[in-house]
Amino acid sequence: MNKHILISALQEIVGDPNVLFSQMDLTLYGYDASLEKGMPDVVVLPGSTQEVGAVVALAHHEEIPIIARGSGTNISGGTIPIRGGIVLHLSRMNRILEIDIPNRTVTVEPCVITQDLQNRLLEEGFTYAPDPASMKVSTLGGNVGENSGGPHCLKYGVTTNHVLGAEVVLHDGSIVRIGNKSQDHPGYDLIGLLVGSEGTLGVVTKIVLKILRAPEAVKTILAIYDTVEDAGNTVSAIIAEGIIPATLEMMDHLVMKAVEESVHAGYPLDAAAVLIIELDGLRNGIERQAGKIVEICRANGVREFHVAKNAAEREELWAGRRGAFGAVSRLKPSYMVCDGTVPRTRLPEVLSKVIHVGEKYHLSIGNVFHAGDGNLHPLILFDERNEKELAAAKAASSEILKICAEAGGTISGEHGIGIEKLDEMFLIFSDADLEVMRWVKRALDPKNILNPGKLIPVAHS
Ligand SMILES: Cc1cc2nc3c(=O)[nH]c(=O)nc-3n(C[C@H](O)[C@H](O)[C@H](O)COP(=O)(O)OP(=O)(O)OC[C@H]3O[C@@H](n4cnc5c(N)ncnc54)[C@H](O)[C@@H]3O)c2cc1C
């Protein structure tokens, strides 16, 4: 279809102001939080499920790629229009439709910001557990697309454990509802299939989520270590003791220093690593659990502790953790995050291998991660404008993911595959495994228009 005719057809569906096609707009929608770049033909901002359905039906008829987009904060190239086409930015669909306290659910449109939902629920004494560090800007549709995790997912599970139902626009524009407010559904687990599918199987236009009562008490401890191994061993020892804290996050020296210089969260500048350990639950018993954690930290060589005395101090500790990715950009213009996961008992060994990878490629690598889940985030620092450094960063990233896979882990804990990790899919899946995924994709998107080229690599030739 000629581009002018396509634009007119889209304007008919969503109205003139909601179709963007200036060079500047197209450039702005050509990147996300990854290093990749592309260029859409047109950007569309639908205001309702019916409008999404009509746009997708048009794309289906004309065989035009269609890329759903929330805030574009994914770090794997998931929203890059690598084959041009229509970027479907869902930002106008940002309403919290229903908070149903008796059934402990909330129904939202896809572009509700994760933090906005959290703030609204806290007013009712409730909470939505998954808390990606990007939650101030990420959307719930994007969280579903990537099956996002976050610090609290150690205890409460990742996004897929909190999605009960969804309204989805399929490849041909038809609209289906899967799941509802019930905890269990007969038939195939289509919600499980959808969550984490990175916009390759359908466009989510409504989401039903589980909500929980906000915890009665919270205790946040900063534990400071002189070696990364001691911090890593503490993580395994806490879980082995049968305690599941709400969060168990680790930061190494390089990241801590950058964070401290940027956020002034009170982290020590001379330590090798810190753990942020947060307990939540009933007031009764939380002190006893905290005492046990302190004992375990001492047995594993902790240097000192700080326990947040109030909500403001707690917020300060978290501001440092949440600002970590931003803070490292003080050190180098670009960074690449490797989101590998390993069994937590292998953390100390894998972390020391990561250090060797940095030495091998002459790159600084900082670590800030969900230690309790064994979900590493080595941040490889480099300058994207220097081709040699860029190539070295990509090679180092791939090598780190290989180390994770060989340690019995996997290549993504929460950031998805997008286009950045397509090659590494072969590290953890056989050709037969991947072929099953291709069957699913072909069945649900026979013309391959929904975010084509993402998530599943083409077969090895
Ligand atoms: C500083 C920083 C910190 C981060 N921390 C975390 C973290 O702690 N945990 C974590 O999991 N991630 C983290 N991320 C990654 C990212 O923020 C998450 O993946 C987030 O869920 C993406 O949300 P988004 O709205 O930006 O989605 P986008 O980037 O816009 O989209 C993500 C994917 O979902 C698809 N998609 C979006 N909306 C829909 C829809 N309505 N229907 C179907 N598919 C859709 C897109 O096509 C794309 O494939 C971080 C990113 C940054 C930059």
Side-chain angles (χ1 to χ4, degrees):
M1 185 183 240
N2 166 303
K3 190 163 163 181
H4 293 293
I5 301 177
L6 173 66
I7 289 170
S8 305
L10 291 167
Q11 285 171 330
E12 289 245 324
I13 299 170
V14 295
D16 291 10
N18 298 314
V19 181
L20 311 178
F21 50 87
S22 74
Q23 199 52 38
M24 188 175 79
D25 285 325
L26 300 182
T27 305
L28 288 174
Y29 282 94
Y31 68 94
D32 54 25
S34 71
L35 296 170
E36 310 294 334
K37 307 267 183 304
M39 185 69 81
D41 293 309
V42 58
V43 178
V44 180
L45 295 92
S48 67
T49 303
Q50 282 61 36
E51 287 185 3
V52 173
V55 173
V56 176
L58 176 66
H60 178 256
H61 188 260
E62 299 299 325
E63 301 196 19
I64 300 170
I66 189 142
I67 301 108
R69 182 174 171 116
S71 293
T73 67
N74 77 88
I75 325 185
S76 49
T79 42
I80 303 294
I82 45 175
R83 297 182 192 167
I86 302 170
V87 165
L88 198 65
H89 189 197
L90 296 146
S91 57
R92 290 173 62 218
M93 298 177 68
N94 61 356
R95 291 173 303 158
I96 297 174
L97 299 171
E98 184 195 38
I99 297 178
D100 181 350
I101 300 288
N103 286 309
R104 304 267 162 115
T105 64
V106 60
T107 304
V108 296
E109 288 185 324
C111 256
V112 170
I113 301 291
T114 318
Q115 181 77 60
D116 290 350
L117 175 65
Q118 189 66 293
N119 294 345
R120 178 67 190 85
L121 289 174
L122 284 173
E123 288 170 15
E124 308 287 333
F126 279 78
T127 177
Y128 170 65
D131 56 343
S134 52
M135 65 192 288
K136 274 191 195 158
V137 277
S138 75
T139 66
L140 289 154
N143 297 169
V144 167
E146 299 288 356
N147 189 18
S148 285
H152 283 90
C153 296
L154 168 64
K155 180 168 177 181
Y156 295 103
V158 292
T159 301
T160 194
N161 305 113
H162 300 268
V163 180
L164 292 171
E167 178 185 74
V168 187
V169 173
L170 300 180
H171 69 110
D172 58 355
S174 54
I175 299 164
V176 294
R177 283 168 199 83
I178 50 178
N180 52 30
K181 293 182 181 177
S182 319
Q183 299 287 329
D184 193 17
H185 315 287
Y188 295 123
D189 179 10
L190 296 180
I191 293 283
L193 189 59
L194 179 76
V195 180
S197 64
E198 303 188 15
T200 62
L201 300 181
V203 179
V204 178
T205 47
K206 263 181 213 145
I207 317 165
V208 183
L209 298 164
K210 260 187 228 173
I211 56 173
L212 306 168
R213 244 201 193 292
E216 194 180 278
V218 178
K219 202 156 203 68
T220 311
I221 302 167
L222 182 76
I224 301 164
Y225 291 84
D226 288 324
T227 72
V228 172
E229 288 72 26
D230 286 343
N233 289 330
T234 303
V235 172
S236 302
I238 289 173
I239 307 287
E241 184 62 32
I243 303 172
I244 305 289
T247 74
L248 197 35
E249 298 282 302
M250 196 193 292
M251 245 181 275
D252 73 3
H253 174 76
L254 187 137
V255 174
M256 238 181 332
K257 192 162 168 292
V259 166
E260 197 45 34
E261 283 162 5
S262 140
V263 181
H264 312 296
Y267 299 157
L269 289 176
D270 60 342
V274 291
L275 291 178
I276 304 178
I277 309 167
E278 188 162 282
L279 294 166
D280 70 2
L282 297 174
R283 213 175 303 283
N284 219 341
I286 206 163
E287 290 297 340
R288 191 174 41 77
Q289 265 200 348
K292 189 75 212 164
I293 290 215
V294 166
E295 233 175 70
I296 296 170
C297 293
R298 285 212 174 98
N300 285 281
V302 73
R303 184 169 93 190
E304 56 183 295
F305 306 100
H306 292 294
V307 180
K309 292 189 209 65
N310 48 43
E313 282 192 18
R314 216 177 100 217
E315 199 34 54
E316 227 166 66
L317 291 182
W318 280 114
R321 166 62 185 91
R322 294 207 175 101
F325 284 14
V328 295
S329 51
R330 301 167 76 89
L331 307 176
K332 274 276 192 179
S334 326
Y335 66 79
M336 193 180 264
V337 193
C338 308
D339 168 41
T341 296
V342 297
R344 59 179 81 85
T345 46
R346 310 280 300 265
L347 273 177
E349 162 205 340
V350 170
L351 284 170
S352 71
K353 287 186 177 165
V354 168
I355 293 170
H356 287 134
V357 172
E359 288 163 358
K360 176 175 164 190
Y361 289 97
H362 308 290
L363 294 166
S364 296
I365 302 184
N367 287 285
V368 47
F369 58 103
H370 310 310
D373 300 303
N375 182 196
L376 299 167
H377 288 349
L379 296 172
I380 305 174
L381 309 183
F382 65 103
D383 185 343
E384 199 178 340
R385 294 162 300 185
N386 177 332
E387 276 181 29
K388 258 172 109 179
E389 273 193 24
L390 175 63
K394 285 187 174 170
S397 163
S398 189
E399 201 160 315
I400 290 171
L401 294 178
K402 190 158 182 268
I403 292 168
C404 293
E406 283 169 359
T410 188
I411 59 167
S412 174
E414 55 183 23
H415 295 169
I417 302 303
I419 39 180
E420 282 201 337
K421 285 190 261 181
L422 283 173
D423 285 345
E424 284 75 20
M425 287 288 271
F426 294 105
L427 293 174
I428 51 166
F429 294 113
S430 69
D431 281 340
D433 298 339
L434 290 169
E435 196 47 31
V436 175
M437 294 192 206
R438 291 186 200 106
W439 290 344
V440 173
K441 171 72 173 164
R442 281 197 290 268
L444 291 174
D445 181 21
K447 290 186 177 175
N448 194 23
I449 57 159
L450 295 168
N451 213 1
K454 310 289 169 65
L455 184 60
I456 308 167
V458 291
H460 266 144
S461 58

